[in-house]
Amino acid sequence: MNNNVVNIANQAGFATYYFAAEPSDEMNMTYSSMSKYNASNLPKSFKLGKISLANPYRDDMPILNYVRLALSDQEENRMILLHMLGHHPRVCKRLRGYPNYFKNLKHENMEGDWELNCYLSVTKKLDEFITDIHTQLKELNEPYALFYLSDHGVVFDMNSKGGAFIHHGTDYKSNYRVPYIVLTSDIQEHKIIEEYASGFDFLSNLLYYLGIETNIIQPKSIQEITTNNPEDIVVFDGEQLRPYLSLKNSPVEY
């Protein structure tokens, strides 16, 4: 429990902040980002506690105001953790008034409702969320690193009306295949890495960018954590480790 990103950053002299659209009583200690527990009790952290816990479709966008508060704080080194709801199931409700730019998109051999249209619009909304934070960071004229990743993926499945919907799961590759985006003040080119990386190596890569060394977790660059061989990747399904290649493909490919 002590070898998590919050405790390591605190010991290295970082002020740590935590902002979330998800209520703290939905805490899940099984996934790798155990910072959700530890950061919630730190003096420098904030939570969106004023948002009603009775509403499961909270909007991520208000978190941006809290990010501005943290960036205006006079701390030499800051680490800001954000936990968004984003693409959770019933994804059309995640738009929260944001336009569904893809509502008229048609899909071959599909009838009925198609949640992929909402999924694409929520992704566009997420792009704007990240862009806002990236703009704030650039305006500081200070070194920064911005990371985006997810603690789980989703799977598209067929519904009884011939459409498709998304849900959580543990048996499909898409339940674990998530994006990993890194933006830093000294990266000047857009580069797409078509390789595999394990979520178990995220903390090592984060420490690499933060410039932190420990006796337990060694910092590793992107080149050190990526591989062309998916046979090297294992996932944790909540109960046991499983080879990534042993998982099924999504019922609906997209």
Side-chain angles (χ1 to χ4, degrees):
M1 288 294 295
N2 292 326
N3 298 325
N4 63 74
V5 62
V6 173
N7 286 342
I8 292 173
N10 284 343
Q11 293 174 19
F14 282 74
T16 310
Y17 309 77
Y18 174 65
F19 309 116
E22 186 171 347
S24 58
D25 59 351
E26 294 179 10
M27 191 181 301
N28 182 350
M29 296 303 296
T30 62
Y31 62 83
S32 60
S33 181
M34 289 186 288
S35 59
K36 187 174 182 183
Y37 172 78
N38 294 276
S40 62
N41 297 318
L42 295 173
K44 286 290 183 180
S45 67
F46 302 84
K47 290 187 294 182
L48 298 183
K50 294 183 180 180
I51 295 179
S52 171
L53 300 184
N55 179 5
Y57 307 113
R58 282 169 293 279
D59 194 0
D60 292 325
M61 302 306 277
I63 296 177
L64 295 171
N65 297 322
Y66 289 80
V67 173
R68 291 186 181 90
L69 286 176
L71 292 179
S72 65
D73 206 352
Q74 299 302 310
E75 294 285 352
E76 182 177 357
N77 294 314
R78 287 156 290 185
M79 184 175 69
I80 305 171
L81 305 170
L82 310 178
H83 189 180
M84 296 98 74
L85 286 169
H87 298 88
H88 276 70
R90 296 189 178 181
V91 67
C92 292
K93 292 185 178 292
R94 309 294 172 192
L95 290 170
R96 299 288 292 173
Y98 186 84
N100 186 354
Y101 290 102
F102 304 93
K103 63 181 180 181
N104 296 320
L105 188 63
K106 303 299 182 182
H107 305 276
E108 186 178 0
N109 300 323
M110 289 292 165
E111 300 176 357
D113 295 331
W114 179 260
E115 283 195 341
L116 179 56
N117 294 1
C118 292
Y119 186 92
L120 293 173
S121 291
V122 171
T123 301
K124 181 172 171 43
K125 182 179 179 180
L126 174 63
D127 284 343
E128 295 182 10
F129 184 95
I130 296 175
T131 298
D132 188 296
I133 296 176
H134 193 214
T135 299
Q136 292 185 52
L137 290 171
K138 290 191 294 184
E139 290 174 349
L140 292 176
N141 292 318
E142 300 174 3
Y144 65 83
L146 171 63
F147 303 86
Y148 173 78
L149 69 159
S150 178
D151 55 337
H152 62 80
V154 294
V155 61
F156 276 89
D157 213 338
M158 299 294 297
N159 62 32
S160 60
K161 297 181 179 180
F165 67 101
I166 69 169
H167 61 87
H168 293 312
T170 59
D171 295 327
Y172 297 94
K173 293 184 177 71
S174 61
N175 293 131
Y176 307 90
R177 189 175 62 238
V178 298
Y180 184 39
I181 301 171
V182 180
L183 302 171
T184 74
S185 51
D186 56 358
I187 293 179
Q188 302 299 322
E189 62 175 334
H190 180 200
K191 184 176 182 181
I192 299 177
I193 300 177
E194 299 285 356
E195 294 183 348
Y196 297 87
S198 170
F200 291 111
D201 286 324
F202 166 68
L203 188 51
S204 292
N205 189 231
L206 179 63
L207 295 184
Y208 173 84
Y209 283 102
L210 294 180
I212 298 175
E213 295 186 6
T214 74
N215 294 328
I216 300 175
I217 303 173
Q218 299 302 313
K220 296 180 181 178
S221 66
I222 289 286
Q223 290 74 23
E224 291 176 297
I225 68 170
T226 53
T227 176
N228 285 314
N229 189 359
E231 293 182 358
D232 296 336
I233 304 297
V234 295
V235 300
F236 182 63
D237 66 2
E239 296 182 356
Q240 62 182 340
L241 293 174
R242 301 168 63 181
Y244 174 75
L245 289 182
S246 70
L247 302 170
K248 297 182 290 186
N249 293 322
S250 174
V252 178
E253 291 300 321
Y254 54 96

